[in-house]
Amino acid sequence: MSRPRMQTVVVDTSSLISLAVPRADADYETDSAPDPLQYLLTSCNVFLPSEVITELRDIAQYQDIHGAAATNVLAARDYYTIIDPYDRSDTIEARPTFGLDDGETDGIVLANALDVDGFLTDEFGGTNFALVHAALRGPRIIPTPRLICDYAHNDHMTHEEARTLIMTISAHRSWENSPYVTQLLALLE
């Protein structure tokens, strides 16, 4: 059974990096295999808090796959909207304390203010998932590996392509030992 199509989403830094890793991975064939970042950016309206751009610029300075992934996200600037959530009249004036990093916190504030369909994050392990879930007032939390599985279940890519994507990202994002990711991979078999 497919989920409702996601039309609007706020994305945090870690999720953007994860989705951009395949294109930055020399062993992943982006010419013929699905590009999850490109699919996200062209399939719905994507909003980023300005703090996420600051974090991406910081990460882009590194000479590793994460730096390359951040550079790829920054290069796709025409495909997302940057908003400072604290410049809006419908949000609080200062960053709340959720116990999360600034990009995630600002993403939650923005997601709540815009009443988007979802908040895309890599927070799916430990207590941070519960913190994000509790702070969201309407948008659903969408962990990055779940988004990739949903792409397969909604026939945007094959189950094997989704498995390959998750495993490619896992090698660079420390997802290998996650019970959550293991369960999602089992659903793709």
Side-chain angles (χ1 to χ4, degrees):
M1 176 176 190
S2 66
R3 292 181 180 226
R5 183 177 178 272
M6 185 172 56
Q7 296 178 4
T8 56
V9 66
V10 172
V11 188
D12 76 3
T13 308
S14 61
S15 187
L16 288 166
I17 296 296
S18 293
L19 292 172
V21 156
R23 180 167 289 281
D25 186 330
D27 294 328
Y28 186 80
E29 181 53 53
T30 55
D31 290 335
S32 60
D35 181 338
L37 178 65
Q38 180 183 33
Y39 189 75
L40 174 73
L41 296 177
T42 59
S43 67
C44 62
N45 292 319
V46 177
F47 301 94
L48 309 181
S50 49
E51 179 62 28
V52 166
I53 297 301
T54 300
E55 291 176 358
L56 288 169
R57 287 182 181 138
D58 290 345
I59 296 167
Q61 295 178 41
Y62 292 97
Q63 301 300 314
D64 61 8
I65 196 163
H66 300 104
T71 300
N72 289 341
V73 174
L74 292 168
R77 171 61 186 99
D78 292 342
Y79 296 93
Y80 51 81
T81 303
I82 303 166
I83 300 173
D84 183 339
Y86 308 107
D87 283 346
R88 298 174 53 91
S89 62
D90 57 350
T91 62
I92 56 178
E93 292 181 14
R95 183 176 289 128
T97 305
F98 293 141
L100 302 165
D101 75 31
D102 292 346
E104 291 163 343
T105 299
D106 290 1
I108 291 166
V109 170
L110 185 60
N112 286 336
L114 297 177
D115 194 27
V116 295
D117 297 324
F119 176 63
L120 186 57
T121 182
D122 269 9
E123 293 299 340
F124 51 83
T127 58
N128 285 352
F129 181 85
L131 291 171
V132 172
H133 183 70
L136 287 170
R137 291 192 314 256
R140 67 178 193 200
I141 184 172
I142 306 166
T144 310
R146 179 77 228 189
L147 176 72
I148 294 169
C149 284
D150 287 349
Y151 285 160
H153 293 300
N154 291 331
D155 297 325
H156 299 298
M157 65 181 68
T158 67
H159 284 225
E160 186 56 39
E161 288 170 329
R163 283 182 59 75
T164 299
L165 271 173
I166 290 172
M167 294 182 67
T168 298
I169 296 167
S170 290
H172 301 287
R173 302 296 288 160
S174 302
W175 292 359
E176 301 99 338
N177 297 321
S178 166
Y180 180 76
V181 173
T182 301
Q183 182 65 32
L184 290 175
L185 287 170
L187 292 173
L188 290 169
E189 290 181 3

